[in-house]
mmCIF file of all heavy atoms in Angstrom:
data_model
loop_
_atom_site.group_PDB
_atom_site.id
_atom_site.type_symbol
_atom_site.label_atom_id
_atom_site.label_comp_id
_atom_site.label_asym_id
_atom_site.label_seq_id
_atom_site.Cartn_x
_atom_site.Cartn_y
_atom_site.Cartn_z
ATOM 1 N N MET A 249 0.821 -1.198 0.000
ATOM 2 C CA MET A 249 0.000 0.000 0.000
ATOM 3 C C MET A 249 0.867 1.265 0.000
ATOM 4 O O MET A 249 0.595 2.206 -0.712
ATOM 5 C CB MET A 249 -0.930 -0.043 1.213
ATOM 6 C CG MET A 249 -1.910 1.078 1.251
ATOM 7 S SD MET A 249 -3.081 0.905 -0.086
ATOM 8 C CE MET A 249 -4.234 2.135 0.340
ATOM 9 N N ASP A 250 1.917 1.249 0.812
ATOM 10 C CA ASP A 250 2.803 2.410 0.866
ATOM 11 C C ASP A 250 3.500 2.636 -0.470
ATOM 12 O O ASP A 250 3.719 3.768 -0.878
ATOM 13 C CB ASP A 250 3.862 2.233 1.962
ATOM 14 C CG ASP A 250 3.275 2.409 3.353
ATOM 15 O OD1 ASP A 250 2.208 3.052 3.458
ATOM 16 O OD2 ASP A 250 3.876 1.913 4.317
ATOM 17 N N GLU A 251 3.834 1.541 -1.142
ATOM 18 C CA GLU A 251 4.502 1.642 -2.424
ATOM 19 C C GLU A 251 3.591 2.305 -3.465
ATOM 20 O O GLU A 251 4.023 3.170 -4.230
ATOM 21 C CB GLU A 251 4.893 0.242 -2.896
ATOM 22 C CG GLU A 251 6.033 0.218 -3.854
ATOM 23 C CD GLU A 251 6.490 -1.195 -4.120
ATOM 24 O OE1 GLU A 251 6.938 -1.862 -3.167
ATOM 25 O OE2 GLU A 251 6.378 -1.606 -5.277
ATOM 26 N N ALA A 252 2.330 1.921 -3.455
ATOM 27 C CA ALA A 252 1.362 2.501 -4.385
ATOM 28 C C ALA A 252 1.130 3.980 -4.060
ATOM 29 O O ALA A 252 1.028 4.814 -4.970
ATOM 30 C CB ALA A 252 0.042 1.744 -4.328
ATOM 31 N N TYR A 253 1.052 4.299 -2.784
ATOM 32 C CA TYR A 253 0.864 5.693 -2.376
ATOM 33 C C TYR A 253 2.051 6.546 -2.810
ATOM 34 O O TYR A 253 1.877 7.646 -3.331
ATOM 35 C CB TYR A 253 0.679 5.774 -0.857
ATOM 36 C CG TYR A 253 0.599 7.176 -0.347
ATOM 37 C CD1 TYR A 253 -0.567 7.926 -0.487
ATOM 38 C CD2 TYR A 253 1.696 7.789 0.258
ATOM 39 C CE1 TYR A 253 -0.643 9.224 -0.035
ATOM 40 C CE2 TYR A 253 1.636 9.093 0.705
ATOM 41 C CZ TYR A 253 0.465 9.802 0.563
ATOM 42 O OH TYR A 253 0.406 11.084 0.996
ATOM 43 N N ASN A 254 3.263 6.039 -2.605
ATOM 44 C CA ASN A 254 4.467 6.784 -2.998
ATOM 45 C C ASN A 254 4.512 7.012 -4.500
ATOM 46 O O ASN A 254 4.877 8.086 -4.970
ATOM 47 C CB ASN A 254 5.726 6.061 -2.534
ATOM 48 C CG ASN A 254 5.914 6.137 -1.038
ATOM 49 O OD1 ASN A 254 5.385 7.026 -0.384
ATOM 50 N ND2 ASN A 254 6.642 5.194 -0.487
ATOM 51 N N TYR A 255 4.150 5.971 -5.259
ATOM 52 C CA TYR A 255 4.140 6.096 -6.715
ATOM 53 C C TYR A 255 3.137 7.153 -7.163
ATOM 54 O O TYR A 255 3.446 7.997 -7.999
ATOM 55 C CB TYR A 255 3.813 4.742 -7.349
ATOM 56 C CG TYR A 255 3.728 4.799 -8.848
ATOM 57 C CD1 TYR A 255 4.879 4.842 -9.623
ATOM 58 C CD2 TYR A 255 2.496 4.841 -9.495
ATOM 59 C CE1 TYR A 255 4.817 4.916 -11.003
ATOM 60 C CE2 TYR A 255 2.417 4.911 -10.874
ATOM 61 C CZ TYR A 255 3.576 4.941 -11.620
ATOM 62 O OH TYR A 255 3.495 5.023 -12.982
ATOM 63 N N LEU A 256 1.944 7.115 -6.602
ATOM 64 C CA LEU A 256 0.906 8.085 -6.957
ATOM 65 C C LEU A 256 1.314 9.501 -6.569
ATOM 66 O O LEU A 256 1.119 10.445 -7.338
ATOM 67 C CB LEU A 256 -0.418 7.716 -6.286
ATOM 68 C CG LEU A 256 -1.612 8.594 -6.594
ATOM 69 C CD1 LEU A 256 -1.928 8.547 -8.088
ATOM 70 C CD2 LEU A 256 -2.819 8.144 -5.798
ATOM 71 N N ALA A 257 1.918 9.641 -5.403
ATOM 72 C CA ALA A 257 2.370 10.963 -4.948
ATOM 73 C C ALA A 257 3.430 11.526 -5.890
ATOM 74 O O ALA A 257 3.385 12.705 -6.255
ATOM 75 C CB ALA A 257 2.909 10.860 -3.528
ATOM 76 N N LYS A 258 4.354 10.683 -6.321
ATOM 77 C CA LYS A 258 5.395 11.144 -7.246
ATOM 78 C C LYS A 258 4.791 11.534 -8.583
ATOM 79 O O LYS A 258 5.204 12.531 -9.186
ATOM 80 C CB LYS A 258 6.444 10.056 -7.443
ATOM 81 C CG LYS A 258 7.333 9.874 -6.244
ATOM 82 C CD LYS A 258 8.320 8.756 -6.453
ATOM 83 C CE LYS A 258 9.109 8.514 -5.183
ATOM 84 N NZ LYS A 258 10.024 7.386 -5.311
ATOM 85 N N GLU A 259 3.821 10.774 -9.053
ATOM 86 C CA GLU A 259 3.164 11.097 -10.322
ATOM 87 C C GLU A 259 2.432 12.436 -10.245
ATOM 88 O O GLU A 259 2.418 13.198 -11.212
ATOM 89 C CB GLU A 259 2.198 9.984 -10.731
ATOM 90 C CG GLU A 259 2.883 8.727 -11.194
ATOM 91 C CD GLU A 259 3.750 8.952 -12.425
ATOM 92 O OE1 GLU A 259 3.300 9.630 -13.365
ATOM 93 O OE2 GLU A 259 4.873 8.431 -12.443
ATOM 94 N N ILE A 260 1.824 12.719 -9.119
ATOM 95 C CA ILE A 260 1.117 13.994 -8.939
ATOM 96 C C ILE A 260 2.104 15.155 -8.997
ATOM 97 O O ILE A 260 1.866 16.170 -9.655
ATOM 98 C CB ILE A 260 0.326 14.000 -7.612
ATOM 99 C CG1 ILE A 260 -0.843 13.019 -7.706
ATOM 100 C CG2 ILE A 260 -0.177 15.397 -7.271
ATOM 101 C CD1 ILE A 260 -1.548 12.769 -6.397
ATOM 102 N N VAL A 261 3.237 15.023 -8.326
ATOM 103 C CA VAL A 261 4.255 16.078 -8.321
ATOM 104 C C VAL A 261 4.849 16.246 -9.718
ATOM 105 O O VAL A 261 5.023 17.368 -10.201
ATOM 106 C CB VAL A 261 5.353 15.778 -7.272
ATOM 107 C CG1 VAL A 261 6.490 16.770 -7.388
ATOM 108 C CG2 VAL A 261 4.760 15.806 -5.878
ATOM 109 N N ILE A 262 5.123 15.137 -10.398
ATOM 110 C CA ILE A 262 5.666 15.207 -11.753
ATOM 111 C C ILE A 262 4.678 15.877 -12.692
ATOM 112 O O ILE A 262 5.059 16.704 -13.525
ATOM 113 C CB ILE A 262 6.054 13.796 -12.257
ATOM 114 C CG1 ILE A 262 7.282 13.308 -11.499
ATOM 115 C CG2 ILE A 262 6.315 13.794 -13.747
ATOM 116 C CD1 ILE A 262 7.608 11.851 -11.732
ATOM 117 N N SER A 263 3.402 15.563 -12.543
ATOM 118 C CA SER A 263 2.373 16.182 -13.377
ATOM 119 C C SER A 263 2.314 17.697 -13.145
ATOM 120 O O SER A 263 2.185 18.474 -14.097
ATOM 121 C CB SER A 263 1.019 15.547 -13.073
ATOM 122 O OG SER A 263 -0.001 16.188 -13.769
ATOM 123 N N ALA A 264 2.417 18.112 -11.888
ATOM 124 C CA ALA A 264 2.418 19.545 -11.575
ATOM 125 C C ALA A 264 3.643 20.225 -12.183
ATOM 126 O O ALA A 264 3.545 21.343 -12.717
ATOM 127 C CB ALA A 264 2.375 19.764 -10.071
ATOM 128 N N CYS A 265 4.788 19.564 -12.143
ATOM 129 C CA CYS A 265 6.009 20.125 -12.732
ATOM 130 C C CYS A 265 5.871 20.249 -14.244
ATOM 131 O O CYS A 265 6.286 21.253 -14.830
ATOM 132 C CB CYS A 265 7.216 19.258 -12.393
ATOM 133 S SG CYS A 265 7.695 19.314 -10.662
ATOM 134 N N GLU A 266 5.295 19.238 -14.881
ATOM 135 C CA GLU A 266 5.083 19.295 -16.329
ATOM 136 C C GLU A 266 4.131 20.426 -16.700
ATOM 137 O O GLU A 266 4.373 21.157 -17.667
ATOM 138 C CB GLU A 266 4.543 17.968 -16.837
ATOM 139 C CG GLU A 266 5.555 16.854 -16.836
ATOM 140 C CD GLU A 266 4.958 15.506 -17.178
ATOM 141 O OE1 GLU A 266 3.719 15.374 -17.236
ATOM 142 O OE2 GLU A 266 5.753 14.568 -17.395
ATOM 143 N N ASP A 267 3.051 20.579 -15.939
ATOM 144 C CA ASP A 267 2.113 21.671 -16.197
ATOM 145 C C ASP A 267 2.799 23.022 -16.062
ATOM 146 O O ASP A 267 2.590 23.934 -16.870
ATOM 147 C CB ASP A 267 0.920 21.604 -15.237
ATOM 148 C CG ASP A 267 0.007 20.433 -15.513
ATOM 149 O OD1 ASP A 267 0.126 19.814 -16.590
ATOM 150 O OD2 ASP A 267 -0.835 20.126 -14.637
ATOM 151 N N TYR A 268 3.630 23.161 -15.037
ATOM 152 C CA TYR A 268 4.355 24.408 -14.806
ATOM 153 C C TYR A 268 5.286 24.716 -15.978
ATOM 154 O O TYR A 268 5.288 25.830 -16.505
ATOM 155 C CB TYR A 268 5.146 24.292 -13.498
ATOM 156 C CG TYR A 268 5.911 25.537 -13.140
ATOM 157 C CD1 TYR A 268 5.281 26.600 -12.504
ATOM 158 C CD2 TYR A 268 7.266 25.663 -13.423
ATOM 159 C CE1 TYR A 268 5.977 27.745 -12.168
ATOM 160 C CE2 TYR A 268 7.966 26.796 -13.100
ATOM 161 C CZ TYR A 268 7.318 27.839 -12.462
ATOM 162 O OH TYR A 268 8.014 28.982 -12.152
ATOM 163 N N LEU A 269 6.054 23.709 -16.407
ATOM 164 C CA LEU A 269 6.987 23.917 -17.516
ATOM 165 C C LEU A 269 6.263 24.245 -18.819
ATOM 166 O O LEU A 269 6.671 25.151 -19.557
ATOM 167 C CB LEU A 269 7.863 22.680 -17.712
ATOM 168 C CG LEU A 269 8.999 22.503 -16.727
ATOM 169 C CD1 LEU A 269 9.681 21.161 -16.947
ATOM 170 C CD2 LEU A 269 10.001 23.628 -16.844
ATOM 171 N N ASN A 270 5.196 23.522 -19.113
ATOM 172 C CA ASN A 270 4.448 23.771 -20.345
ATOM 173 C C ASN A 270 3.854 25.178 -20.359
ATOM 174 O O ASN A 270 3.897 25.874 -21.377
ATOM 175 C CB ASN A 270 3.347 22.727 -20.532
ATOM 176 C CG ASN A 270 3.903 21.384 -20.902
ATOM 177 O OD1 ASN A 270 4.998 21.277 -21.430
ATOM 178 N ND2 ASN A 270 3.139 20.344 -20.616
ATOM 179 N N ALA A 271 3.294 25.591 -19.232
ATOM 180 C CA ALA A 271 2.699 26.926 -19.154
ATOM 181 C C ALA A 271 3.766 28.012 -19.305
ATOM 182 O O ALA A 271 3.574 28.986 -20.035
ATOM 183 C CB ALA A 271 1.954 27.089 -17.836
ATOM 184 N N LYS A 272 4.900 27.835 -18.627
ATOM 185 C CA LYS A 272 5.971 28.823 -18.725
ATOM 186 C C LYS A 272 6.493 28.929 -20.154
ATOM 187 O O LYS A 272 6.746 30.015 -20.652
ATOM 188 C CB LYS A 272 7.125 28.451 -17.799
ATOM 189 C CG LYS A 272 6.915 28.822 -16.362
ATOM 190 C CD LYS A 272 7.002 30.298 -16.166
ATOM 191 C CE LYS A 272 8.164 30.638 -15.298
ATOM 192 N NZ LYS A 272 8.181 32.023 -14.901
ATOM 193 N N ARG A 273 6.653 27.783 -20.812
ATOM 194 C CA ARG A 273 7.139 27.791 -22.191
ATOM 195 C C ARG A 273 6.155 28.483 -23.114
ATOM 196 O O ARG A 273 6.548 29.238 -24.001
ATOM 197 C CB ARG A 273 7.408 26.361 -22.664
ATOM 198 C CG ARG A 273 8.656 25.789 -22.094
ATOM 199 C CD ARG A 273 8.962 24.431 -22.688
ATOM 200 N NE ARG A 273 10.130 23.873 -22.045
ATOM 201 C CZ ARG A 273 10.175 22.663 -21.512
ATOM 202 N NH1 ARG A 273 9.131 21.871 -21.560
ATOM 203 N NH2 ARG A 273 11.275 22.240 -20.938
ATOM 204 N N TYR A 274 4.857 28.214 -22.932
ATOM 205 C CA TYR A 274 3.868 28.850 -23.796
ATOM 206 C C TYR A 274 3.884 30.359 -23.580
ATOM 207 O O TYR A 274 3.842 31.130 -24.545
ATOM 208 C CB TYR A 274 2.457 28.305 -23.540
ATOM 209 C CG TYR A 274 1.458 28.937 -24.468
ATOM 210 C CD1 TYR A 274 1.274 28.423 -25.742
ATOM 211 C CD2 TYR A 274 0.744 30.079 -24.109
ATOM 212 C CE1 TYR A 274 0.393 29.020 -26.626
ATOM 213 C CE2 TYR A 274 -0.130 30.684 -24.985
ATOM 214 C CZ TYR A 274 -0.312 30.148 -26.240
ATOM 215 O OH TYR A 274 -1.163 30.741 -27.115
ATOM 216 N N ILE A 275 3.931 30.799 -22.348
ATOM 217 C CA ILE A 275 3.936 32.233 -22.056
ATOM 218 C C ILE A 275 5.190 32.885 -22.652
ATOM 219 O O ILE A 275 5.118 33.979 -23.216
ATOM 220 C CB ILE A 275 3.835 32.473 -20.538
ATOM 221 C CG1 ILE A 275 2.441 32.029 -20.051
ATOM 222 C CG2 ILE A 275 4.094 33.923 -20.185
ATOM 223 C CD1 ILE A 275 2.308 31.959 -18.547
ATOM 224 N N TYR A 276 6.313 32.204 -22.563
ATOM 225 C CA TYR A 276 7.548 32.716 -23.155
ATOM 226 C C TYR A 276 7.402 32.860 -24.670
ATOM 227 O O TYR A 276 7.751 33.894 -25.242
ATOM 228 C CB TYR A 276 8.709 31.776 -22.812
ATOM 229 C CG TYR A 276 10.004 32.150 -23.484
ATOM 230 C CD1 TYR A 276 10.783 33.185 -22.991
ATOM 231 C CD2 TYR A 276 10.448 31.469 -24.613
ATOM 232 C CE1 TYR A 276 11.974 33.537 -23.608
ATOM 233 C CE2 TYR A 276 11.634 31.815 -25.231
ATOM 234 C CZ TYR A 276 12.392 32.849 -24.725
ATOM 235 O OH TYR A 276 13.556 33.192 -25.341
ATOM 236 N N ARG A 277 6.880 31.824 -25.328
ATOM 237 C CA ARG A 277 6.697 31.876 -26.785
ATOM 238 C C ARG A 277 5.678 32.942 -27.168
ATOM 239 O O ARG A 277 5.850 33.636 -28.173
ATOM 240 C CB ARG A 277 6.245 30.511 -27.312
ATOM 241 C CG ARG A 277 7.335 29.495 -27.353
ATOM 242 C CD ARG A 277 6.949 28.274 -28.167
ATOM 243 N NE ARG A 277 5.606 27.812 -27.901
ATOM 244 C CZ ARG A 277 5.291 26.729 -27.200
ATOM 245 N NH1 ARG A 277 6.237 25.990 -26.698
ATOM 246 N NH2 ARG A 277 4.038 26.385 -27.023
ATOM 247 N N TYR A 278 4.618 33.074 -26.382
ATOM 248 C CA TYR A 278 3.598 34.087 -26.661
ATOM 249 C C TYR A 278 4.218 35.479 -26.600
ATOM 250 O O TYR A 278 3.994 36.303 -27.484
ATOM 251 C CB TYR A 278 2.455 33.971 -25.651
ATOM 252 C CG TYR A 278 1.414 35.050 -25.804
ATOM 253 C CD1 TYR A 278 0.340 34.880 -26.665
ATOM 254 C CD2 TYR A 278 1.499 36.242 -25.095
ATOM 255 C CE1 TYR A 278 -0.616 35.867 -26.818
ATOM 256 C CE2 TYR A 278 0.557 37.235 -25.242
ATOM 257 C CZ TYR A 278 -0.495 37.046 -26.107
ATOM 258 O OH TYR A 278 -1.431 38.030 -26.256
ATOM 259 N N ASN A 279 4.986 35.753 -25.566
ATOM 260 C CA ASN A 279 5.608 37.070 -25.418
ATOM 261 C C ASN A 279 6.590 37.344 -26.550
ATOM 262 O O ASN A 279 6.674 38.471 -27.049
ATOM 263 C CB ASN A 279 6.307 37.188 -24.067
ATOM 264 C CG ASN A 279 5.319 37.286 -22.932
ATOM 265 O OD1 ASN A 279 4.186 37.718 -23.114
ATOM 266 N ND2 ASN A 279 5.731 36.855 -21.761
ATOM 267 N N LYS A 280 7.317 36.319 -26.955
ATOM 268 C CA LYS A 280 8.251 36.471 -28.063
ATOM 269 C C LYS A 280 7.502 36.793 -29.359
ATOM 270 O O LYS A 280 7.907 37.658 -30.133
ATOM 271 C CB LYS A 280 9.056 35.186 -28.222
ATOM 272 C CG LYS A 280 10.200 35.264 -29.168
ATOM 273 C CD LYS A 280 11.001 33.976 -29.141
ATOM 274 C CE LYS A 280 12.143 34.037 -30.109
ATOM 275 N NZ LYS A 280 12.894 32.780 -30.134
ATOM 276 N N TYR A 281 6.381 36.107 -29.593
ATOM 277 C CA TYR A 281 5.561 36.338 -30.782
ATOM 278 C C TYR A 281 4.903 37.721 -30.726
ATOM 279 O O TYR A 281 4.842 38.435 -31.726
ATOM 280 C CB TYR A 281 4.481 35.250 -30.889
ATOM 281 C CG TYR A 281 3.574 35.399 -32.078
ATOM 282 C CD1 TYR A 281 3.937 34.856 -33.305
ATOM 283 C CD2 TYR A 281 2.365 36.075 -31.990
ATOM 284 C CE1 TYR A 281 3.118 34.982 -34.411
ATOM 285 C CE2 TYR A 281 1.535 36.209 -33.088
ATOM 286 C CZ TYR A 281 1.914 35.653 -34.293
ATOM 287 O OH TYR A 281 1.107 35.789 -35.380
ATOM 288 N N ALA A 282 4.430 38.105 -29.544
ATOM 289 C CA ALA A 282 3.694 39.364 -29.386
ATOM 290 C C ALA A 282 4.585 40.580 -29.636
ATOM 291 O O ALA A 282 4.087 41.650 -29.983
ATOM 292 C CB ALA A 282 3.080 39.439 -28.000
ATOM 293 N N ARG A 283 5.891 40.428 -29.470
ATOM 294 C CA ARG A 283 6.794 41.545 -29.764
ATOM 295 C C ARG A 283 6.836 41.859 -31.252
ATOM 296 O O ARG A 283 7.070 42.993 -31.642
ATOM 297 C CB ARG A 283 8.198 41.219 -29.277
ATOM 298 C CG ARG A 283 8.377 41.450 -27.809
ATOM 299 C CD ARG A 283 9.813 41.275 -27.396
ATOM 300 N NE ARG A 283 9.840 40.206 -26.400
ATOM 301 C CZ ARG A 283 10.641 39.176 -26.400
ATOM 302 N NH1 ARG A 283 11.550 39.038 -27.333
ATOM 303 N NH2 ARG A 283 10.588 38.264 -25.465
ATOM 304 N N LYS A 284 6.600 40.848 -32.093
ATOM 305 C CA LYS A 284 6.706 41.035 -33.541
ATOM 306 C C LYS A 284 5.361 41.291 -34.211
ATOM 307 O O LYS A 284 5.272 42.069 -35.140
ATOM 308 C CB LYS A 284 7.340 39.788 -34.162
ATOM 309 C CG LYS A 284 8.749 39.559 -33.712
ATOM 310 C CD LYS A 284 9.316 38.310 -34.315
ATOM 311 C CE LYS A 284 10.716 38.070 -33.794
ATOM 312 N NZ LYS A 284 11.273 36.834 -34.305
ATOM 313 N N ARG A 285 4.324 40.569 -33.752
ATOM 314 C CA ARG A 285 3.010 40.678 -34.394
ATOM 315 C C ARG A 285 1.917 40.776 -33.356
ATOM 316 O O ARG A 285 2.122 40.455 -32.190
ATOM 317 C CB ARG A 285 2.739 39.420 -35.236
ATOM 318 C CG ARG A 285 3.707 39.220 -36.352
ATOM 319 C CD ARG A 285 3.333 37.959 -37.122
ATOM 320 N NE ARG A 285 4.395 37.570 -38.012
ATOM 321 C CZ ARG A 285 5.389 36.751 -37.700
ATOM 322 N NH1 ARG A 285 5.462 36.222 -36.506
ATOM 323 N NH2 ARG A 285 6.313 36.468 -38.577
ATOM 324 N N LYS A 286 0.733 41.141 -33.846
ATOM 325 C CA LYS A 286 -0.422 41.195 -32.945
ATOM 326 C C LYS A 286 -0.971 39.779 -32.759
ATOM 327 O O LYS A 286 -1.277 39.104 -33.724
ATOM 328 C CB LYS A 286 -1.505 42.080 -33.554
ATOM 329 C CG LYS A 286 -2.680 42.306 -32.638
ATOM 330 C CD LYS A 286 -3.647 43.271 -33.270
ATOM 331 C CE LYS A 286 -4.804 43.651 -32.428
ATOM 332 N NZ LYS A 286 -5.334 42.748 -31.520
ATOM 333 N N PRO A 287 -1.084 39.317 -31.509
ATOM 334 C CA PRO A 287 -1.608 37.973 -31.255
ATOM 335 C C PRO A 287 -3.085 37.857 -31.639
ATOM 336 O O PRO A 287 -3.843 38.818 -31.565
ATOM 337 C CB PRO A 287 -1.441 37.791 -29.748
ATOM 338 C CG PRO A 287 -0.487 38.844 -29.330
ATOM 339 C CD PRO A 287 -0.623 39.970 -30.296
ATOM 340 N N THR A 288 -3.486 36.652 -32.016
ATOM 341 C CA THR A 288 -4.881 36.405 -32.379
ATOM 342 C C THR A 288 -5.721 36.198 -31.116
ATOM 343 O O THR A 288 -5.181 36.026 -30.019
ATOM 344 C CB THR A 288 -4.983 35.150 -33.258
ATOM 345 O OG1 THR A 288 -4.531 34.027 -32.501
ATOM 346 C CG2 THR A 288 -4.142 35.294 -34.523
ATOM 347 N N LYS A 289 -7.027 36.193 -31.286
ATOM 348 C CA LYS A 289 -7.936 35.968 -30.153
ATOM 349 C C LYS A 289 -7.716 34.584 -29.547
ATOM 350 O O LYS A 289 -7.767 34.410 -28.340
ATOM 351 C CB LYS A 289 -9.396 36.094 -30.608
ATOM 352 C CG LYS A 289 -9.782 37.468 -31.045
ATOM 353 C CD LYS A 289 -10.006 38.351 -29.859
ATOM 354 C CE LYS A 289 -10.476 39.715 -30.336
ATOM 355 N NZ LYS A 289 -10.550 40.658 -29.261
#
């Protein structure tokens, strides 16, 4: 049971890290694009 709990806990943290990285990358790319052109809706 502890092994399953540890695995699930690690997956939750990894998922949060992936979400953080993906969001940061998108915001970075958006800002880079917005400097050159007007962003779409």
Side-chain angles (χ1 to χ4, degrees):
M249 185 68 171
D250 286 338
E251 204 172 298
Y253 175 77
N254 288 337
Y255 178 77
L256 182 62
K258 287 178 185 177
E259 288 299 315
I260 291 170
V261 173
I262 289 170
S263 175
C265 290
E266 288 173 350
D267 290 346
Y268 181 82
L269 283 174
N270 288 336
K272 280 288 244 189
R273 285 186 184 128
Y274 182 84
I275 292 169
Y276 175 79
R277 285 193 316 254
Y278 175 88
N279 288 335
K280 190 175 179 182
Y281 180 86
R283 279 187 240 131
K284 296 178 183 177
R285 298 181 193 90
K286 186 176 184 328
T288 63
K289 294 283 183 187

